Amino acid sequence: MSDVDCIVCGTCVADILVRPVPLTVPVGGGRLIHVDPIDVTTGGIVCNTGIAMRRLGMRVAASSLVGADQWGCLIRSRLEGERVDAGPLAVHPALATSTTAVLIDPSGERSFAHHVGAPHAIDVAFLKSQAAFFAKSRLAVLGYFGLLPSLEPEFAAGVAVLKSVGCLVAAETGGSGGDLAHLAPALPAIDIYVPSLDEAVHQTGLHDPRTIIECYRGLGAAGLVGVKLGTQGALLSPQAGELIDIPCIAAPGPVADTTGAGDSFLAGLLTGLLRGMPPREAGLLGAATAACCVTGLGATAGLRSFDETVMLTKQKT
């Protein structure tokens, strides 16, 4: 029996949140902008999806590289405070912890100034070094594809390491979405892959979600694939020839910040699937988790328990 339900591996970040910052006009040089109190929190898929799944009742572990610095200590402390197993979190001897300045406008839209840092060194050798941790998990999440430059040219080999120890594998995108030429050889072995529309467009050059899913199927994707569509919900394909529209669920409060909404959708979707929910119910749990996420500043402040989150899905069932 597995020790954890999910181990989330990849980008792990300290986020510095600055709000409000105008994003529709240039800030310009030499100006002073008055903002709300600046907050520091955790970000990246390891923290965002990992903490969201833990809040939803899953047993979660975190696998990544951080620096030997204050930001690495902050990330470890936050994960442990959320009861996420940080045992697989390793310290890189030379690279700094990944950091992002998140600039948030009054509507909740955001832009990022990002330093990749230690996760730059995540590669196939790192995944092999962590094989014993992966072997104790039902599912491994690997991301962000698009922000792991040392792993992406050998992404299929990295996925193979996780599959070899018995994990289901979910992959997630970030940044521009990465190069389809690096992703394609891995698709046949990936069990769950639901990029955002912008990232999928960058990868495929296609704009229609249905055509994008057909493209992934044509490249050998046999698991659940789909496209996250922001305020339009998501389109999921549990198997070839099957499409499920997942509607957006209204936020249970004022929208404060959309940071982490996609990672939260993934957390809810994966939690639902691990709990044995049918794909549509799991997708709705993803939509509800994202709806909770946007009510708080940062990626995790707005998250709720499983029971509170699943109640939001009732409006769509």
Side-chain angles (χ1 to χ4, degrees):
M1 183 176 178
S2 299
D3 290 345
V4 296
D5 297 301
C6 182
I7 181 167
V8 188
C9 178
T11 306
C12 186
V13 188
D15 278 347
I16 298 91
L17 309 179
V18 187
R19 174 182 181 173
V21 177
L23 298 180
T24 56
V25 295
V27 172
R31 292 185 57 200
L32 174 67
I33 299 174
H34 291 280
V35 298
D36 295 341
I38 293 172
D39 194 13
V40 179
T41 186
T42 53
I45 190 168
V46 170
C47 297
N48 295 352
T49 298
I51 290 173
M53 292 186 73
R54 186 70 193 95
R55 295 271 184 96
L56 293 170
M58 294 288 100
R59 301 167 302 167
V60 184
S63 168
S64 188
L65 284 167
V66 297
D69 51 37
Q70 62 179 328
W71 302 120
C73 294
L74 170 75
I75 288 170
R76 186 180 298 276
S77 175
R78 292 283 177 90
L79 288 170
E80 290 174 346
E82 293 283 349
R83 295 184 297 157
V84 173
D85 181 1
L89 199 64
V91 176
H92 194 281
L95 297 177
T97 299
S98 183
T99 48
T100 302
V102 185
L103 309 179
I104 308 163
D105 78 6
S107 74
E109 188 54 75
R110 71 269 194 253
S111 292
F112 307 94
H114 178 65
H115 174 66
V116 173
H120 189 290
I122 293 175
D123 56 11
V124 173
F126 173 78
L127 298 183
K128 288 181 178 178
S129 75
Q130 300 244 310
F133 293 115
F134 292 118
K136 296 178 180 180
S137 182
R138 298 167 61 193
L139 169 71
V141 180
L142 189 58
Y144 301 111
F145 186 85
L147 292 175
L148 296 173
S150 297
L151 179 62
E152 285 163 29
E154 300 181 294
F155 201 67
V159 171
V161 171
L162 308 184
K163 299 291 285 191
S164 70
V165 297
C167 281
L168 296 170
V169 176
E172 178 67 310
T173 48
S176 66
D179 190 335
L180 186 61
H182 293 154
L183 175 69
L187 278 173
I190 293 173
D191 299 285
I192 301 142
Y193 180 59
V194 187
S196 74
L197 180 59
D198 286 347
E199 292 155 352
V201 169
H202 174 84
Q203 288 176 352
T204 66
L206 304 169
H207 291 80
D208 177 70
R210 287 166 173 76
T211 307
I212 290 168
I213 288 171
E214 290 174 4
C215 175
Y216 294 143
R217 292 292 184 207
L219 293 169
L224 185 151
V225 295
V227 184
K228 296 192 291 285
L229 302 172
T231 57
Q232 301 303 308
L235 182 67
L236 301 181
S237 172
Q239 58 187 355
E242 182 182 4
L243 294 172
I244 301 173
D245 286 303
I246 304 297
C248 186
I249 289 178
V255 174
D257 179 8
T258 57
T259 301
D263 292 338
S264 293
F265 177 90
L266 178 66
L269 173 67
L270 297 180
T271 295
L273 295 174
L274 287 171
R275 284 175 172 265
M277 291 181 175
R280 184 175 187 276
E281 290 183 23
L284 287 172
L285 183 62
T289 309
C292 293
C293 170
V294 301
T295 63
L297 190 61
T300 59
L303 297 171
R304 303 186 180 193
S305 70
F306 176 81
D307 289 340
E308 293 173 298
T309 305
V310 81
M311 283 297 297
L312 297 178
T313 69
K314 304 305 180 185
Q315 61 182 278
K316 299 293 184 180
T317 57

